[in-house]
Amino acid sequence: MSAVHATLDELIRLRATARGLELGARHSQLAAESGGYLSIYRGRGLEFDEVRAYQAGDDARTIDWRVSARRGRIHTKLFREERERSVLILVDLHPGMYFGTRHQFKSVLAARISALIAWATVQAGDRIGGVVSSSDGSMVLPPMGRRTGALRLLHGIESLQPTQPGVLMQGRLGDSLGQLDRLTRPGSLIFILSDFLELGEKGELLIARLARHNDLLMGLIFDPVEGLPPPPGRYRMGTPEEQMELDTASEAVISGWKKNFLDHRERLTGISQRSRITLAAFSTADEPLLSLRSGLARHGRVT
Protein backbone atom coordinates (compact mmCIF):
# COMPACT_ATOMS: atom_id res chain seq x y z
CA MET A 1 0.00 0.00 0.00
CA SER A 2 1.21 3.48 -0.82
CA ALA A 3 2.04 5.90 1.97
CA VAL A 4 1.26 8.98 -0.13
CA HIS A 5 -1.85 8.01 -2.12
CA ALA A 6 -4.80 5.75 -1.34
CA THR A 7 -6.12 3.96 -4.40
CA LEU A 8 -9.76 3.13 -4.95
CA ASP A 9 -8.92 -0.59 -5.07
CA GLU A 10 -7.27 -0.39 -1.65
CA LEU A 11 -10.21 1.49 -0.14
CA ILE A 12 -12.60 -1.12 -1.53
CA ARG A 13 -10.50 -3.96 -0.09
CA LEU A 14 -10.89 -2.42 3.37
CA ARG A 15 -14.43 -3.79 3.35
CA ALA A 16 -13.05 -7.08 4.67
CA THR A 17 -11.06 -5.26 7.37
CA ALA A 18 -14.20 -3.44 8.54
CA ARG A 19 -16.14 -6.68 9.01
CA GLY A 20 -17.45 -6.73 12.57
CA LEU A 21 -16.72 -3.04 13.20
CA GLU A 22 -19.60 -1.48 15.16
CA LEU A 23 -20.25 2.24 14.84
CA GLY A 24 -22.85 2.25 17.62
CA ALA A 25 -25.82 0.26 18.85
CA ARG A 26 -29.34 1.14 17.81
CA HIS A 27 -31.93 2.05 20.41
CA SER A 28 -35.28 0.30 20.45
CA GLN A 29 -38.67 1.95 20.15
CA LEU A 30 -39.60 0.60 23.59
CA ALA A 31 -36.55 2.20 25.13
CA ALA A 32 -37.36 5.50 23.44
CA GLU A 33 -40.93 5.45 24.72
CA SER A 34 -39.77 4.79 28.28
CA GLY A 35 -37.31 7.64 28.13
CA GLY A 36 -34.15 5.52 28.08
CA TYR A 37 -31.75 4.63 25.31
CA LEU A 38 -29.98 1.39 24.63
CA SER A 39 -27.74 3.25 22.22
CA ILE A 40 -24.57 5.01 23.30
CA TYR A 41 -25.63 7.78 20.95
CA ARG A 42 -28.29 10.40 21.42
CA GLY A 43 -30.77 8.77 19.14
CA ARG A 44 -31.95 8.01 15.66
CA GLY A 45 -34.44 10.22 13.87
CA LEU A 46 -38.21 9.76 14.12
CA GLU A 47 -40.55 10.03 11.14
CA PHE A 48 -44.18 11.17 11.30
CA ASP A 49 -46.49 8.18 10.81
CA GLU A 50 -50.14 9.12 11.51
CA VAL A 51 -52.53 10.90 13.87
CA ARG A 52 -55.05 9.42 16.28
CA ALA A 53 -57.41 10.69 18.95
CA TYR A 54 -55.63 11.99 22.05
CA GLN A 55 -55.50 9.54 24.95
CA ALA A 56 -54.72 10.09 28.61
CA GLY A 57 -50.96 10.00 29.13
CA ASP A 58 -50.03 11.23 25.63
CA ASP A 59 -47.36 13.91 25.45
CA ALA A 60 -49.10 17.27 24.97
CA ARG A 61 -46.18 18.38 22.80
CA THR A 62 -47.28 15.94 20.08
CA ILE A 63 -50.80 17.36 19.73
CA ASP A 64 -51.65 18.18 16.10
CA TRP A 65 -53.61 21.39 16.51
CA ARG A 66 -54.58 21.69 12.84
CA VAL A 67 -56.16 18.23 12.73
CA SER A 68 -57.75 18.81 16.15
CA ALA A 69 -59.39 22.05 14.94
CA ARG A 70 -60.59 20.42 11.73
CA ARG A 71 -62.09 17.36 13.44
CA GLY A 72 -63.35 19.10 16.57
CA ARG A 73 -61.50 16.69 18.83
CA ILE A 74 -57.92 16.65 20.10
CA HIS A 75 -55.60 14.45 18.05
CA THR A 76 -51.94 13.58 18.61
CA LYS A 77 -49.18 12.73 16.20
CA LEU A 78 -47.64 9.26 16.16
CA PHE A 79 -44.05 8.70 15.12
CA ARG A 80 -42.06 5.67 14.09
CA GLU A 81 -38.37 5.11 14.25
CA GLU A 82 -36.50 5.48 10.99
CA ARG A 83 -35.40 2.12 9.69
CA GLU A 84 -32.05 3.49 8.56
CA ARG A 85 -29.61 5.85 10.17
CA SER A 86 -27.65 8.35 8.12
CA VAL A 87 -23.89 8.28 8.67
CA LEU A 88 -22.08 11.32 7.28
CA ILE A 89 -18.34 11.90 6.93
CA LEU A 90 -16.59 15.18 6.23
CA VAL A 91 -13.22 14.23 4.73
CA ASP A 92 -10.90 17.25 4.72
CA LEU A 93 -8.22 16.82 2.05
CA HIS A 94 -6.72 20.30 1.90
CA PRO A 95 -3.06 20.51 0.71
CA GLY A 96 -1.73 20.55 4.28
CA MET A 97 -2.93 16.97 4.63
CA TYR A 98 -0.29 15.98 2.05
CA PHE A 99 2.21 15.34 4.80
CA GLY A 100 3.56 12.45 6.85
CA THR A 101 6.77 11.15 8.37
CA ARG A 102 5.70 7.70 9.54
CA HIS A 103 3.61 5.00 7.86
CA GLN A 104 1.28 7.19 5.79
CA PHE A 105 0.39 10.75 4.87
CA LYS A 106 -2.39 12.44 6.80
CA SER A 107 -4.57 12.46 3.68
CA VAL A 108 -4.09 8.70 3.27
CA LEU A 109 -4.98 8.02 6.90
CA ALA A 110 -8.16 10.11 6.52
CA ALA A 111 -9.05 8.12 3.40
CA ARG A 112 -8.52 4.76 5.10
CA ILE A 113 -10.50 5.65 8.22
CA SER A 114 -13.30 6.98 6.00
CA ALA A 115 -13.38 3.70 4.08
CA LEU A 116 -13.64 1.68 7.30
CA ILE A 117 -16.53 3.86 8.49
CA ALA A 118 -18.26 3.58 5.12
CA TRP A 119 -18.07 -0.22 5.01
CA ALA A 120 -19.15 -0.55 8.65
CA THR A 121 -22.18 1.60 7.75
CA VAL A 122 -23.01 -0.67 4.82
CA GLN A 123 -22.82 -3.83 6.92
CA ALA A 124 -25.14 -2.22 9.49
CA GLY A 125 -27.74 -1.53 6.79
CA ASP A 126 -27.52 2.24 7.18
CA ARG A 127 -26.98 5.06 4.67
CA ILE A 128 -23.60 6.65 4.01
CA GLY A 129 -22.81 10.06 2.56
CA GLY A 130 -20.98 13.24 3.36
CA VAL A 131 -18.67 15.92 2.00
CA VAL A 132 -15.22 15.42 0.47
CA SER A 133 -13.34 18.71 0.45
CA SER A 134 -10.09 19.76 -1.23
CA SER A 135 -8.42 22.82 -2.71
CA ASP A 136 -9.69 21.67 -6.12
CA GLY A 137 -13.31 21.72 -5.00
CA SER A 138 -15.64 19.49 -3.06
CA MET A 139 -18.17 16.72 -3.54
CA VAL A 140 -21.46 16.77 -1.62
CA LEU A 141 -22.91 13.28 -1.39
CA PRO A 142 -26.43 12.80 0.03
CA PRO A 143 -26.69 9.60 2.08
CA MET A 144 -27.39 6.44 0.09
CA GLY A 145 -27.75 2.85 1.18
CA ARG A 146 -25.80 -0.26 0.41
CA ARG A 147 -22.63 -0.52 -1.63
CA THR A 148 -23.56 2.36 -3.94
CA GLY A 149 -23.30 4.97 -1.20
CA ALA A 150 -19.92 3.70 -0.04
CA LEU A 151 -18.44 3.53 -3.54
CA ARG A 152 -19.53 7.09 -4.36
CA LEU A 153 -17.80 8.35 -1.25
CA LEU A 154 -14.62 6.36 -1.84
CA HIS A 155 -14.42 7.46 -5.46
CA GLY A 156 -14.70 11.08 -4.34
CA ILE A 157 -11.95 10.62 -1.77
CA GLU A 158 -9.61 8.93 -4.25
CA SER A 159 -10.13 11.60 -6.90
CA LEU A 160 -9.75 14.62 -4.58
CA GLN A 161 -6.65 13.57 -2.65
CA PRO A 162 -3.95 16.26 -2.60
CA THR A 163 -0.92 15.62 -4.79
CA GLN A 164 1.39 18.28 -3.39
CA PRO A 165 1.63 20.54 -0.34
CA GLY A 166 0.13 24.01 -0.43
CA VAL A 167 -0.55 27.15 1.57
CA LEU A 168 -3.11 26.89 4.36
CA MET A 169 -6.28 28.93 3.94
CA GLN A 170 -7.75 29.86 7.31
CA GLY A 171 -11.51 29.32 7.45
CA ARG A 172 -11.78 27.04 4.41
CA LEU A 173 -13.01 24.16 6.58
CA GLY A 174 -15.98 26.31 7.58
CA ASP A 175 -17.25 26.28 4.00
CA SER A 176 -17.18 22.47 3.98
CA LEU A 177 -18.95 22.33 7.34
CA GLY A 178 -21.63 24.60 5.89
CA GLN A 179 -22.17 22.10 3.07
CA LEU A 180 -22.37 19.30 5.62
CA ASP A 181 -24.88 21.25 7.72
CA ARG A 182 -27.20 21.67 4.75
CA LEU A 183 -26.97 17.94 4.05
CA THR A 184 -27.64 16.71 7.59
CA ARG A 185 -30.92 15.58 9.10
CA PRO A 186 -31.33 15.40 12.90
CA GLY A 187 -30.31 12.06 14.38
CA SER A 188 -27.37 11.48 12.05
CA LEU A 189 -24.01 10.08 13.08
CA ILE A 190 -21.28 12.46 11.88
CA PHE A 191 -17.52 12.07 11.58
CA ILE A 192 -15.28 15.07 10.83
CA LEU A 193 -11.84 13.88 9.74
CA SER A 194 -9.32 16.71 9.49
CA ASP A 195 -6.20 18.22 11.01
CA PHE A 196 -8.42 21.27 11.68
CA LEU A 197 -5.62 23.65 10.69
CA GLU A 198 -8.05 25.53 8.42
CA LEU A 199 -10.82 25.79 11.03
CA GLY A 200 -12.00 29.37 11.58
CA GLU A 201 -14.68 30.94 13.78
CA LYS A 202 -17.42 30.05 11.30
CA GLY A 203 -16.35 26.42 11.47
CA GLU A 204 -16.48 26.41 15.28
CA LEU A 205 -20.04 27.71 15.23
CA LEU A 206 -21.10 25.11 12.67
CA ILE A 207 -19.60 22.26 14.68
CA ALA A 208 -21.62 23.43 17.69
CA ARG A 209 -24.74 23.65 15.52
CA LEU A 210 -24.26 20.14 14.09
CA ALA A 211 -23.69 18.72 17.56
CA ARG A 212 -27.05 19.93 18.89
CA HIS A 213 -29.16 17.32 17.10
CA ASN A 214 -26.64 14.73 15.95
CA ASP A 215 -23.95 12.41 17.28
CA LEU A 216 -20.63 13.90 16.27
CA LEU A 217 -17.05 12.70 16.48
CA MET A 218 -14.16 15.04 15.63
CA GLY A 219 -11.25 12.99 14.32
CA LEU A 220 -7.96 14.92 14.59
CA ILE A 221 -5.57 13.59 11.94
CA PHE A 222 -1.97 14.34 12.89
CA ASP A 223 1.61 13.25 12.38
CA PRO A 224 3.82 12.76 15.47
CA VAL A 225 6.41 15.24 14.19
CA GLU A 226 3.78 17.99 14.47
CA GLY A 227 3.91 17.68 18.24
CA LEU A 228 7.55 16.74 18.65
CA PRO A 229 10.22 18.26 16.38
CA PRO A 230 12.73 16.09 14.51
CA PRO A 231 16.23 15.43 15.94
CA PRO A 232 18.54 18.43 16.35
CA GLY A 233 19.59 19.86 13.02
CA ARG A 234 18.73 22.40 10.34
CA TYR A 235 15.68 21.64 8.23
CA ARG A 236 14.09 23.40 5.30
CA MET A 237 10.32 23.30 5.65
CA GLY A 238 7.21 24.74 4.08
CA THR A 239 5.55 24.69 0.69
CA PRO A 240 7.22 25.07 -2.71
CA GLU A 241 6.15 28.75 -2.64
CA GLU A 242 7.13 29.49 0.97
CA GLN A 243 10.06 27.82 2.69
CA MET A 244 12.01 28.52 5.83
CA GLU A 245 14.93 26.99 7.68
CA LEU A 246 14.52 25.80 11.25
CA ASP A 247 17.22 24.85 13.70
CA THR A 248 15.77 22.17 15.97
CA ALA A 249 18.86 22.32 18.15
CA SER A 250 17.49 25.63 19.46
CA GLU A 251 15.56 25.43 22.72
CA ALA A 252 13.38 28.35 21.60
CA VAL A 253 12.46 26.54 18.37
CA ILE A 254 11.69 23.32 20.22
CA SER A 255 9.55 25.15 22.80
CA GLY A 256 7.62 27.09 20.15
CA TRP A 257 7.11 23.95 18.06
CA LYS A 258 5.58 22.03 20.96
CA LYS A 259 3.49 25.01 22.09
CA ASN A 260 1.89 25.47 18.66
CA PHE A 261 0.63 21.90 18.59
CA LEU A 262 -0.44 21.96 22.24
CA ASP A 263 -2.39 25.18 21.69
CA HIS A 264 -4.10 23.60 18.67
CA ARG A 265 -5.08 20.51 20.68
CA GLU A 266 -6.36 22.65 23.53
CA ARG A 267 -8.49 24.71 21.18
CA LEU A 268 -10.09 21.55 19.76
CA THR A 269 -10.55 20.12 23.25
CA GLY A 270 -12.38 23.29 24.25
CA ILE A 271 -14.70 23.00 21.24
CA SER A 272 -15.47 19.36 22.05
CA GLN A 273 -16.12 20.05 25.73
CA ARG A 274 -18.42 23.01 25.08
CA SER A 275 -20.54 20.99 22.65
CA ARG A 276 -20.23 17.70 24.57
CA ILE A 277 -18.82 15.81 21.62
CA THR A 278 -15.88 13.45 21.24
CA LEU A 279 -12.43 14.47 20.11
CA ALA A 280 -10.42 11.45 18.95
CA ALA A 281 -6.80 11.68 17.80
CA PHE A 282 -5.65 9.58 14.82
CA SER A 283 -1.89 9.39 14.31
CA THR A 284 -0.19 8.54 11.03
CA ALA A 285 2.03 6.21 13.07
CA ASP A 286 -0.92 4.00 14.07
CA GLU A 287 -2.90 1.32 12.29
CA PRO A 288 -6.22 2.81 11.03
CA LEU A 289 -8.55 0.09 12.32
CA LEU A 290 -7.09 0.13 15.84
CA SER A 291 -7.20 3.94 15.89
CA LEU A 292 -10.83 3.97 14.83
CA ARG A 293 -11.85 1.33 17.37
CA SER A 294 -10.20 3.39 20.10
CA GLY A 295 -11.98 6.55 18.93
CA LEU A 296 -15.35 4.81 18.85
CA ALA A 297 -14.80 3.40 22.34
CA ARG A 298 -14.04 6.91 23.54
CA HIS A 299 -17.19 8.19 21.84
CA GLY A 300 -19.21 5.55 23.67
CA ARG A 301 -18.31 7.08 27.02
CA VAL A 302 -19.79 10.47 26.12
CA THR A 303 -23.04 11.13 27.99
Side-chain angles (χ1 to χ4, degrees), residues 26-28 31-32 34-44:
R26 302 162 184 263
H27 71 262
S28 69
S34 64
Y37 288 86
L38 298 180
S39 172
I40 61 176
Y41 302 113
R42 262 173 278 172
R44 303 271 300 285

Side-chain angles (χ1 to χ4, degrees), residues 59-254:
D59 190 338
R61 292 174 297 181
T62 63
I63 292 175
D64 190 322
W65 294 106
R66 290 186 179 181
V67 173
S68 300
R70 187 168 63 247
R71 298 185 181 178
R73 182 183 176 190
I74 297 178
H75 282 69
T76 186
K77 297 178 182 178
L78 295 181
F79 298 86
R80 61 182 172 84
E81 190 176 23
E82 289 183 347
R83 290 180 297 172
E84 297 177 333
R85 170 178 57 184
S86 290
V87 178
L88 298 167
I89 311 175
L90 193 165
V91 193
D92 183 13
L93 297 175
H94 71 83
M97 295 284 282
Y98 190 76
F99 175 78
T101 63
R102 301 299 172 94
H103 304 312
Q104 57 209 316
F105 275 21
K106 294 194 292 183
S107 55
V108 173
L109 177 59
R112 289 168 177 164
I113 290 177
S114 297
L116 291 170
I117 294 170
W119 292 125
T121 300
V122 171
Q123 73 183 11
D126 291 327
R127 297 177 301 231
I128 183 70
V131 175
V132 184
S133 176
S134 78
S135 61
D136 294 328
S138 61
M139 294 182 67
V140 179
L141 305 168
M144 291 183 64
R146 301 186 180 181
R147 193 167 180 263
T148 301
L151 289 177
R152 284 189 321 155
L153 178 68
L154 301 186
H155 182 271
I157 292 171
E158 195 275 339
S159 62
L160 289 176
Q161 285 178 91
T163 56
Q164 62 181 9
V167 178
L168 293 177
M169 186 181 297
Q170 188 63 212
R172 178 160 47 189
L173 183 56
D175 296 334
S176 304
L177 286 163
Q179 293 174 315
L180 181 67
D181 182 50
R182 291 188 288 274
L183 188 65
T184 302
R185 293 182 59 191
S188 299
L189 174 57
I190 299 173
F191 295 86
I192 303 173
L193 302 178
S194 174
D195 59 11
F196 295 95
L197 293 177
E198 295 191 337
L199 178 67
E201 292 183 7
K202 173 186 174 183
E204 288 192 33
L205 293 173
L206 284 166
I207 287 174
R209 174 185 169 92
L210 285 163
R212 289 191 194 110
H213 304 293
N214 303 282
D215 296 305
L216 198 154
L217 185 148
M218 294 169 58
L220 170 61
I221 308 291
F222 76 100
D223 187 90
V225 81
E226 293 179 288
L228 187 65
R234 293 184 177 273
Y235 299 87
R236 292 196 65 81
M237 298 183 176
T239 66
E241 296 81 12
E242 297 181 11
Q243 291 200 2
M244 60 184 298
E245 184 176 275
L246 289 178
D247 180 7
T248 57
S250 164
E251 288 296 331
V253 169
I254 294 173

